[in-house]
């Protein structure tokens, strides 16, 4: 199966594209790993307020290498910096923010996303990570949930599927997926294609997508700068 590796977006470009949709002043939680890159690409004139589950709100970017203060880290144990107004709080208060609906956006990675919005992102099955962690709270506490992912697995299998086969993180929670090939909304139990790489036909994209891609209106070109 073709993974279109010669034309697909890099992880940084996927993160850049997702950053363009974050509203000015939004409270945002970025998942551990790949989604953390979104913080690098805030559009000019917009300022997100980033939240981390271990109890920091409105922190800054990563410090220069060698200047890390390892008492200042995010949930992924990555070094962060402080900004005027950065606040610290207990872990329980952090999850009260999550569960109380005080986050506007949660951005996570995924192993599988189903056309009904189900998300599987914590375990690949036997031998996988032993606990779902705070992701299950995030996907049902945030105002909207976006996923960043390669369009296919390393073996070329679809990650956008009719139904998830892996253990679920959340049910019916994902509203938009940013992949290496496309931007896909999830609404009414369907994948709705919004953007695709200009060098890719809808038929080619469908061939590497597990669920049916529906088209409503114009499908825009998915373009990202070299970042």
């Amino acid at each position: 199966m073709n993974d279109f590796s010669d034309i697909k977006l890099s992880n940084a470009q996927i993160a850049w594209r997702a950053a363009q949709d974050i509203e000015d002043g939004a409270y945002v939680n970025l998942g551990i790993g790949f989604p953390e890159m979104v913080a690098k690409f805030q559009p000019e004139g917009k300022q997100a307020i980033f939240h981390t589950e271990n109890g920091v709100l409105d922190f800054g970017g990563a410090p220069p290498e060698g200047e890390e203060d390892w008492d200042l880290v995010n949930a992924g144990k990555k070094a962060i910096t402080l900004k005027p107004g950065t606040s610290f709080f207990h872990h329980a208060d952090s999850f009260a923010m999550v569960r109380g609906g005080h986050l506007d956006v949660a951005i996570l990675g995924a192993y599988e996303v189903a056309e009904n919005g189900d998300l599987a992102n914590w375990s690949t099955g036997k031998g996988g990570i032993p606990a779902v962690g705070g992701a299950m709270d995030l996907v049902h506490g945030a105002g909207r949930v976006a996923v960043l992912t390669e369009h296919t697995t390393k073996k070329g299998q679809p990650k956008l599927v009719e139904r998830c086969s892996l253990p679920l993180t959340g049910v019916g929670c994902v509203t938009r997926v940013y992949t290496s090939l496309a931007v896909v909304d999830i609404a009414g139990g369907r994948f709705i294609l919004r953007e695709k790489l200009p060098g890719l036909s809808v038929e080619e994209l469908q061939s590497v997508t597990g669920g049916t891609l529906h088209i409503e209106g114009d499908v825009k070109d998915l373009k990202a700068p070299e970042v």
Side-chain angles (χ1 to χ4, degrees):
M1 183 177 288
N2 192 343
D3 65 357
F4 302 103
S5 56
D6 54 332
I7 61 171
K8 70 181 183 180
L9 299 185
S10 67
N11 285 357
Q13 288 174 312
I14 301 170
W16 175 89
R17 176 62 190 86
Q20 308 314 298
D21 289 343
I22 297 175
E23 301 83 357
D24 185 34
Y27 289 84
V28 182
N29 185 285
L30 302 177
I32 293 171
F34 172 18
E36 292 173 332
M37 299 175 71
V38 171
K40 298 179 181 180
F41 303 118
Q42 291 183 86
E44 187 174 351
K46 292 184 179 180
Q47 181 63 53
I49 300 166
F50 292 110
H51 165 276
T52 180
E53 296 157 65
N54 56 317
V56 191
L57 187 68
D58 199 19
F59 53 90
E65 188 173 352
E67 298 182 20
E68 298 90 349
D69 179 344
W70 293 108
D71 286 328
L72 302 176
V73 296
N74 62 20
K77 300 182 176 63
K78 305 284 179 57
I80 58 175
T81 54
L82 305 185
K83 296 165 58 179
T86 297
S87 57
F88 301 89
F89 34 86
H90 191 277
H91 195 81
D93 294 320
S94 179
F95 273 84
M97 294 178 190
V98 174
R99 295 170 182 169
H102 301 291
L103 295 181
D104 297 301
V105 187
I107 301 178
L108 305 93
Y111 294 129
E112 292 178 331
V113 181
E115 59 188 6
N116 65 351
D118 289 354
L119 171 66
N121 84 336
W122 69 276
S123 175
T124 54
K126 186 177 180 180
I129 299 171
V132 65
M136 64 180 180
D137 298 286
L138 285 164
V139 297
H140 290 298
R144 69 178 179 91
V145 176
V147 163
L148 310 187
T149 182
E150 288 277 350
H151 202 87
T152 62
T153 68
K154 292 179 180 179
K155 295 182 179 179
Q157 298 301 311
K159 298 184 77 170
L160 277 63
V161 296
E162 289 186 1
R163 292 291 180 269
C164 292
S165 61
L166 297 172
L168 294 183
T169 306
V171 174
C173 54
V174 180
T175 54
R176 174 165 278 203
V177 185
Y178 301 89
T179 84
S180 49
L181 303 178
V183 176
V184 178
D185 281 343
I186 298 177
R190 306 190 304 166
F191 288 135
I192 302 172
L193 180 61
R194 298 302 188 192
E195 301 176 19
K196 66 174 182 63
L197 294 181
L200 195 65
S201 70
V202 173
E203 292 74 23
E204 288 173 322
L205 185 62
Q206 183 63 73
S207 74
V208 290
T209 306
T212 300
L213 293 169
H214 297 268
I215 296 176
E216 296 181 359
D218 294 335
V219 176
K220 298 179 180 178
D221 286 342
L222 172 56
K223 296 181 179 179
E226 295 295 331
V227 291

